[in-house]
Amino acid sequence: MEVLANVDLVKKANIYFNGNVTSRTFIDTDGSKKSLGIMMPGEYNFGTNEPELMEILAGEVEVKLAGEDTWNTYTENTSFNVKGNSDFDIKVKTITDYCCSYIK
Amino acid sequence: MEVLANVDLVKKANIYFNGNVTSRTFIDTDGSKKSLGIMMPGEYNFGTNEPELMEILAGEVEVKLAGEDTWNTYTENTSFNVKGNSDFDIKVKTITDYCCSYIK
């Protein structure tokens, strides 16, 4: 069981898409901002400000990055990167647990 | 914005009721175990081991403790206690963000 030690955790949740996507923001020990979240099955589009690393901790998603034609599948213990000031389409096939890291 | 500093956060989520209830476990600086969670609208029954303090951070729930006949309503910034080795029924009226503290 992986434990993230000594992080600063924002108590209130972030709630998106009527609660179908929720996350908790935390600051890791290196000062970087990350969030742990849950996505219920459905189709969503997310915009980015900073570049992001999206790790899938459980579940299954299909992702199409802005400017690409291909959908790629990600499952437990896989990850994908998203450019800053961009967006991506995501089809959540089964309830998905993820960690998003915002890259400086 | 309340931030819980220097906590140890379990990376993977706890997923209950087909994802309609999810939570993240963390250990607070005093060593106590807590979880931050989201409940989607619906009706659930939860059992306890340790006594619990349930703080409602956002949303609205109605709660009936084991052995009681009365439903009580809790909304943002209210809380209720549950005995150990007990259970409670909860009707989640709107998506609810909560913090559960397990009392030793």
Side-chain angles (χ1 to χ4, degrees), chain A residues 1-15 18-20 22 24 26 36-38 40 55 57-58 76 95-99, chain B residues 1-15 18-20 22 24 26 36-38 40 55 57-58 76 95-99:
Chain A
M1 187 181 72
E2 189 175 355
V3 176
L4 305 159
N6 295 314
V7 305
D8 293 339
L9 175 61
V10 177
K11 193 169 188 183
K12 276 197 125 176
N14 310 303
I15 298 178
N18 296 316
N20 286 303
T22 57
R24 305 275 171 185
F26 67 98
L36 287 167
I38 294 285
M40 299 293 275
E55 298 170 70
L57 307 178
E76 187 169 340
I95 180 172
T96 291
D97 183 13
Y98 71 90
C99 182
Chain B
M1 186 181 72
E2 189 175 354
V3 176
L4 305 159
N6 296 313
V7 306
D8 293 340
L9 175 61
V10 177
K11 193 169 187 182
K12 277 197 124 175
N14 309 304
I15 298 179
N18 296 315
N20 287 303
T22 58
R24 306 274 171 185
F26 67 98
L36 287 167
I38 294 284
M40 299 293 275
E55 298 171 71
L57 308 178
E76 186 170 339
I95 179 172
T96 292
D97 183 13
Y98 70 90
C99 182

Side-chain angles (χ1 to χ4, degrees), chain B residues 21-56:
Chain B
V21 178
T22 58
S23 71
R24 306 274 171 185
T25 302
F26 67 98
I27 307 299
D28 213 341
T29 47
D30 63 2
S32 64
K33 182 180 163 190
K34 301 182 179 182
S35 64
L36 287 167
I38 294 284
M39 294 183 283
M40 299 293 275
E43 299 188 21
Y44 313 100
N45 177 274
F46 288 98
T48 62
N49 292 310
E50 299 95 343
E52 296 179 2
L53 167 65
M54 281 283 288
E55 298 171 71
I56 304 303

